[in-house]
Amino acid sequence: MPSRKQQKGITLIELMVVVAVVAILGGVALPSYLSYVQRGKTQEATSALADARVKFEQYFQDNRTYEAYVSASCSPIIAGTKYFTYACTNMTATTYTITATGSVGEGMSGYVYTINQANAKTSTIGGTTVNCWVTKKGEAC
């Protein structure tokens, strides 16, 4: 019987199968991971807005007005944030609205959260607006 030489290493087909499997896994895992990261970034907005609302209500208890409490940028109330910009609007003696808008450079474009004096919360994610705070696309109240 003639002896067969034993091959060492891997064939090109085996390498191509491994590359295809890694590409498929990457195609599924990367979007899920990016969605997970975005959900984590939304916590900055929701916690900053909830904290700001508490400060507004404390100010109102002391002064019986919301007017003249903050500038339009909400700067004395909300500072040091990375993923969202904040605006205080509709400031009257008895009303206010605080809006958190996602920073495009941080991958949060299309994310907008609001809260007002009546604790009415809205979220706009990817063009869809709902009357609560949601943290990912497709989520409902």
Side-chain angles (χ1 to χ4, degrees):
M1 283 183 122
S3 65
R4 297 173 93 185
K5 283 187 164 180
Q6 189 171 355
Q7 290 183 340
K8 295 181 180 178
I10 59 172
T11 65
L12 182 59
I13 291 178
E14 292 169 332
L15 182 62
M16 297 285 286
V17 168
V18 169
V19 168
V21 168
V22 168
I24 290 169
L25 289 175
V28 170
L30 187 61
S32 296
Y33 173 73
L34 294 176
S35 176
Y36 178 76
V37 169
Q38 283 182 326
R39 282 196 321 256
K41 291 177 181 179
T42 61
Q43 297 308 310
E44 176 187 289
T46 57
S47 63
L49 290 175
D51 184 52
R53 182 173 185 279
V54 168
K55 291 177 182 177
F56 268 81
E57 296 307 320
Q58 289 172 341
Y59 183 84
F60 186 81
Q61 289 295 319
D62 294 339
N63 301 291
R64 291 300 195 213
T65 183
Y66 296 116
E67 282 184 306
Y69 181 44
V70 297
S71 65
S73 66
C74 301
S75 56
I77 302 298
I78 304 170
T81 57
K82 181 176 181 180
Y83 304 115
F84 288 84
T85 56
Y86 300 88
C88 294
T89 57
N90 195 26
M91 297 290 294
T92 68
T94 58
T95 64
Y96 68 86
T97 302
I98 310 169
T99 304
T101 305
S103 299
V104 175
E106 296 294 336
M108 297 304 293
S109 64
Y111 283 78
V112 179
Y113 295 93
T114 63
I115 192 167
N116 65 17
Q117 76 286 343
N119 200 30
K121 302 171 184 175
T122 63
S123 304
T124 302
I125 299 176
T128 303
T129 301
V130 293
N131 292 323
C132 64
W133 285 342
V134 296
T135 57
K136 64 181 178 179
K137 292 178 183 173
E139 192 174 55
C141 299

